[in-house]
Amino acid sequence: EDQVTQSPEALRLQEGESSSLNCSYTVSGLRGLFWYRQDPGKGPEFLFTLYSAGEEKEKERLKATLTKKESFLHITAPKPEDSATYLCAVQAGNFNKFYFGSGTKLNVKP
Amino acid sequence: DSGVTQTPKHLITATGQRVTLRCSPRSGDLSVYWYQQSLDQGLQFLIHYYNGEERAKGNILERFSAQQFPDLHSELNLSSLELGDSALYFCASSVWGGNRETQYFGPGTRLLVL
């Protein structure tokens, strides 16, 4: 069964304390892995798309990496404004379906 | 502001009714995706249209249908509504650049079925 699992469910960091979020997947025929940020009550904000193992993408304090089984979202020296829920999704299979993880709720304390 | 608009922002209706949600993609974007987000099931992919044609279908119920019109706006029709259909419904449009797809989400329509 195609599945996407994110961990941890919640993460509390002090400002400046770097960490990583994990997105592991078991799908047939990976087409792409997407990372989003979502603030409460708002639509997801697209962050990155990764397509092949070994690929890395960076944006400000965020860096996403991809292996054959999982993706990591590394947050370097986070700030309180990085607090949000981070979602990953996998596009896979012959029918290009999307499968979402349940998200990691990040709280960065000043 | 992503440039994707959704109407209405809020919708309250009764069980058994039918509603239509509308999405206008960013100018020039040919792809429209529909998603449902509920508290118990998280974000779920419903359907994807590209330039008027259905491209992919997720776990969309038979009571739900969608279409994309020649002007590229899309509508999601929900019929025989049930309490469990209460959720946030998002659409997103996307563009390909540098062999990479970027998605832009709308602000969502909050549906409450009473």
Side-chain angles (χ1 to χ4, degrees), chain B residues 26-100:
Chain B
R26 294 185 333 141
S27 177
D29 287 357
L30 301 178
S31 271
V32 171
Y33 296 83
W34 283 99
Y35 302 91
Q36 178 194 58
Q37 188 171 38
S38 60
L39 283 174
D40 58 343
Q41 296 208 341
L43 199 59
Q44 304 228 343
F45 165 65
L46 295 179
I47 199 162
H48 170 213
Y49 278 87
Y50 180 83
N51 202 21
E53 292 190 6
E54 182 184 305
R55 278 295 180 91
K57 189 179 272 192
N59 296 327
I60 187 168
L61 300 172
E62 285 191 11
R63 300 184 286 108
F64 296 2
S65 65
Q67 59 183 128
Q68 187 179 26
F69 295 86
D71 68 352
L72 301 177
H73 92 271
S74 178
E75 292 181 357
L76 179 67
N77 299 296
L78 315 177
S79 62
S80 302
L81 284 167
E82 301 175 0
L83 296 177
D85 298 327
S86 296
L88 267 169
Y89 291 84
F90 293 107
C91 77
S93 69
S94 75
V95 62
W96 280 85
N99 293 323
R100 197 164 297 276

Side-chain angles (χ1 to χ4, degrees), chain A:
Chain A
E1 181 186 348
D2 296 321
Q3 194 169 340
V4 179
T5 303
Q6 288 189 249
S7 62
E9 287 186 12
L11 182 62
R12 298 181 75 176
L13 299 173
Q14 286 297 125
E15 184 172 1
E17 180 187 3
S18 302
S19 188
S20 295
L21 313 183
N22 178 264
C23 171
S24 63
Y25 58 91
T26 52
V27 298
S28 301
L30 176 73
R31 302 273 180 170
L33 188 141
F34 294 70
W35 281 100
Y36 309 89
R37 168 202 169 117
Q38 187 174 26
D39 294 306
K42 295 194 174 181
E45 175 189 342
F46 171 84
L47 294 174
F48 306 108
T49 317
L50 302 166
Y51 289 102
S52 56
E55 193 174 2
E56 299 182 351
K57 298 292 290 182
E58 281 188 76
K59 179 181 176 181
E60 297 178 356
R61 295 178 292 282
L62 301 176
K63 180 180 177 180
T65 61
L66 180 65
T67 73
K68 288 186 177 180
K69 293 184 178 180
E70 58 192 347
S71 175
F72 291 94
L73 184 65
H74 307 277
I75 304 178
T76 302
K79 298 182 178 181
E81 54 261 42
D82 294 323
S83 298
T85 294
Y86 290 84
L87 298 163
C88 78
V90 167
Q91 188 179 27
N94 293 330
F95 302 103
N96 290 329
K97 291 185 179 182
F98 275 82
Y99 302 90
F100 281 84
S102 53
T104 292
K105 188 171 182 179
L106 175 65
N107 187 6
V108 182
K109 294 287 192 183

